[in-house]
Amino acid sequence: MTIQPQPFGDVDITNCEREPIQFLGRIQNFGYLLAVSTDWLIERVSANIGDVIDRTAESLLGESVLSVVSEGALHSIRGRLQILSGESGGERIVGLDLFGTGMRFDVAIHVSAGSIIIEAEPQAERPSTNPGALVKSMITRVQKTQGLEGLYKESVRQLRGITGFDRVMLYRFADGGAGSVIAEAARSGIGSFLGLNYPATDIPPQARALYVRNQVRLIADVGSETVPVIPELDPHGRPIDLSQSVLRSVSPIHIEYLGNMGVSASMSVSIVIDGQLWGLFALHNYAPRHLAMEVRAAAELFGQMVSLIIEGRLAKEQRQLEEAGRVLHDRFVSRIVAASSTLDTIGEFADDLREIIPADGFAIFVKGDAQCYGHCPTPEEIASLARFLNRAGSGRIYATDEISAVHLPGADYIDRAAGVLAIPISRSPRDYLLFFRREIIQTVTWAGDPKTKERMIGPNGVRLTPRKSFEAWKETVHGRSHPWTVSETKAAEGLRVSILEVLLRFNEESERQQSLAAQRQELLIAELNHRVRNILSLIRALVVQSKPGATTVDSFAAIIGGRIQALARAHDQITSADAGAVTLRDIVRTEISAYIGGKAGRVALSGPDIFVEAVTFSTLALVFHELVTNSAKYGALSDSSGSVEVNWWLDDNDACRIEWIESGGPPVAAPQRRGFGSTIIERSIPHDLSGEARIDYHLSGVRAHFTLPANVFHLEGTRTDLPAPDARTDTMAASEPAASLAGLRGLVVEDNLIISLDAEQMLFDHGMVEVFTAASVDEARKVIESQSIDVALLDVNLGSETSFPLVRDLNARHIPFVFVTGYGEKIELPLEAGDADAVKKPFVSELLVGAIARAAMRRPRPS
């Protein structure tokens, strides 16, 4: 395949990042390589293998490794493989007679892509000092140093002492990948690189990743020819991965880079902290230099030990900074606690906060308003910055030393605020504490101009060549502030947590009550969900089971309406303030009064105070509703002479016995067909309450017998006789004449569309000529202002608001009104509502229409 060259205009420094440096397929010429399979067959071999054995590289491919490696050497290699941990490390064997020729080799072993890689170097002269003892002595000297700077200086001095390289530098990486030389030991006369900065592109990302995996790297002779590993590709078309190789050849770009520096040999020792490449010991020599594998292993161990020491001292330094910050933090918290501050008054402690986190300016942004102290952007600019910060995610500290690089409007106020640290202290709306730092114009000294590159065509297309000059090159950097440190961001997180805790503490009781209320609400919602489902199922069953007993649509509606109203009355008793003290007498009286109003005096109630449990209400309400309606239609209450006795008492088993006895009415006969009403009477108490029920049809009247088990009622409690329901609102339509709304124009304010349509149709059916509907206070006001209205029907709860604000508008225009409410307890109406009626949901049409008609009659008539 022919690689098309890129236009020069598209070439940038990132071309270097595309170089596959671990797949070059070549090794340096001071050693030899064998790649063998797990069953010890030779897969690859370096082309120079013929220099040490009497075989060509090609002739070894596919052969057993024992054809070139001695059995003793293979035994040693197998033993070292046993202690390897996968493909993440390597092992070394010093002075091994690898080929059985008497010639000793230093051997490195690792596993790559399922292949065992064996690398061998002729054994060099062994160091006079034991490497382990040497490293111990070096570390002892390093540990005696004071502070980080002394540690860095002694480390490079010790490493130069055991390697003999002309220059040893300690190179530390910055967050963006660039780095600087922070310590150096060099022979005299070769100049100094101390303090110079190097761009991130000098060590591209794939090279930094290799430095973590393979922590010692030697380039013995920059100008030497490299040796190919054959074959280049395996049978699957893959090149060999030499990431862990000690002999891996060098990228041509890096060779050119070193050549431009005048370096003939190079070595690196990685400093890895928390799995990240913190820095490098970079060693340069101006003549070729090879170090024995044993010395390189000692340098690797030294690098690992120094990494641990640096990590420990950095952690100690961090702890000291955090402890100092904690003292300031605790003082700040104690002051705001003593002052009982709120979020709006945190700005009073701006100086304390700027002492904890040094900054040139401080702002608190709360509910869209900014309070500024010191050098800050304007409130409008801060509002724009807050919108940008909202995208950073809630609960996270955000810090940058270059606002303009991530938020373009930040370029307008670089002189006042180039860097920002933001502490979010709420979720919605998002509020912030903002610390600002002004621009610091910096002069950075680079090792040569990092932007000076030349273009050339390489194997991966057009690329940039390394710069040829490494003389100090100064660059002035604008738009940045002093960077925010790790300790400062930790202090910011501590402040965020403490401020929230303090603010919560000031509202502790309120928050506790809110929490309890929220828990109760969750329980109530769960219970409500359960009950609503049950009620819907019950309503569905009532509809289905009531259908056979109805002969017309109107009779069907009346039957369903009556049964639903019975359930509603029972629900009112359950949710009333005195629900725990409702007696059996109250339940029976409620059903009698609601349905037969004027005939209630013909029903005699007799028995002790039996206080029924709430779970019993609905069942008893339905049973007595059916008994009352049947009596009013067909039994003792259907004429003018009959009567009913309801008696109850406790039997010997502490159960409650109830008798319903009708007399003086028309002759009674047992029904030929059992309707749903009869089913409710006969089966509800046994099924729902585990009690007993029996109904007898005597010629003189119906007699019903019920038994309530002791667990559904109790005797203790303060009895409260509930008065008979107000005939104006709770009496069935049979007890008062139907009202008429003929010729009226009405307004229905209801947020539920289905209920609104139902009320609208109900009003039309009773004679209204025009009905307007509104779902909110604003919509209702528009109707009131633009239309002629005679009367209004107001749902109390409109979702996110109530209809109470409309009272003043309606009173101003002398428009009467009626409230409807789903609240079971007595609703507290505004004083301006006067004596307006309130009808409970679900409402019976006659009751609602009657209330509206009464209200309309109170409207002043035009003279």
Side-chain angles (χ1 to χ4, degrees), residues 434-691:
L434 301 168
F435 296 82
F436 297 104
R437 285 179 177 170
R438 302 178 71 183
E439 177 187 35
I440 295 179
I441 300 176
Q442 299 172 313
T443 300
V444 179
T445 303
W446 297 98
D449 183 353
K451 300 176 184 177
T452 302
K453 308 288 180 181
E454 295 181 2
R455 298 171 175 82
M456 65 172 289
I457 298 178
N460 293 297
V462 177
R463 68 169 174 83
L464 300 180
T465 64
R467 60 189 180 277
K468 293 181 171 58
S469 172
F470 290 86
E471 294 181 2
W473 184 85
K474 296 184 183 297
E475 179 185 22
T476 302
V477 178
H478 295 270
R480 288 181 178 270
S481 70
H482 186 75
W484 307 96
T485 65
V486 173
S487 61
E488 288 167 345
T489 56
K490 285 187 176 180
E493 178 60 28
L495 278 174
R496 187 185 73 84
V497 173
S498 294
I499 289 172
L500 292 177
E501 286 180 351
V502 168
L503 293 176
L504 288 175
R505 189 179 306 165
F506 291 148
N507 300 293
E508 183 176 345
E509 183 59 27
S510 173
E511 291 295 328
R512 186 178 70 84
Q513 292 298 335
Q514 289 181 11
S515 176
L516 291 174
Q519 293 175 22
R520 287 195 296 269
Q521 185 180 39
E522 289 177 4
L523 290 173
L524 287 172
I525 289 172
E527 178 65 18
L528 179 62
N529 184 50
H530 170 73
R531 287 178 182 250
V532 167
R533 290 177 182 273
N534 286 344
I535 289 172
L536 291 175
S537 299
L538 177 59
I539 297 298
R540 181 182 179 278
L542 287 175
V543 171
V544 172
Q545 296 298 329
S546 298
K547 182 179 178 183
T551 56
T552 66
V553 172
D554 290 340
S555 66
F556 178 66
I559 292 170
I560 289 296
R563 287 169 176 164
I564 291 175
Q565 284 301 124
L567 288 175
R569 288 189 291 274
H571 182 73
D572 282 346
Q573 289 176 310
I574 292 173
T575 57
S576 68
D578 201 24
V582 174
T583 65
L584 177 60
R585 184 188 305 273
D586 298 327
I587 294 176
V588 177
R589 179 188 292 147
T590 298
E591 292 305 317
I592 292 171
S593 300
Y595 195 78
I596 60 173
K599 301 178 182 179
R602 292 159 58 187
V603 181
L605 307 180
S606 176
D609 288 340
I610 299 294
F611 298 91
V612 296
E613 303 295 343
V615 294
T616 313
F617 290 4
S618 296
T619 301
L620 293 180
L622 280 176
V623 168
F624 284 106
H625 171 76
E626 294 300 327
L627 287 170
V628 171
T629 55
N630 285 346
S631 180
K633 291 178 181 178
Y634 316 113
L637 301 178
S638 65
D639 60 15
S640 60
S641 59
S643 63
V644 177
E645 291 184 21
V646 185
N647 305 311
W648 60 90
W649 68 93
L650 297 181
D651 64 12
D652 295 338
N653 296 319
D654 292 328
C656 179
R657 296 292 187 91
I658 306 173
E659 280 188 343
W660 173 281
I661 303 173
E662 298 186 19
S663 61
V668 174
Q672 298 298 315
R673 181 181 60 83
R674 284 282 193 266
F676 183 50
S678 298
T679 301
I680 289 175
I681 295 171
E682 295 177 5
R683 297 178 61 180
S684 291
I685 290 177
H687 182 275
D688 294 347
L689 307 179
S690 300

Side-chain angles (χ1 to χ4, degrees), residues 52 174 243 815:
V52 289
S243 297
I815 301 173

Side-chain angles (χ1 to χ4, degrees), residues 680-736:
I680 289 175
I681 295 171
E682 295 177 5
R683 297 178 61 180
S684 291
I685 290 177
H687 182 275
D688 294 347
L689 307 179
S690 300
E692 299 175 3
R694 187 180 85 251
I695 185 167
D696 299 324
Y697 296 93
H698 297 278
L699 187 62
S700 60
V702 170
R703 293 189 178 187
H705 309 271
F706 307 102
T707 302
L708 302 181
N711 64 325
V712 300
F713 67 90
H714 61 276
L715 300 177
E716 296 80 8
T718 302
R719 184 173 183 277
T720 302
D721 282 331
L722 299 181
D726 187 346
R728 186 187 67 183
T729 57
D730 286 347
T731 302
M732 295 294 289
S735 64
E736 69 175 36

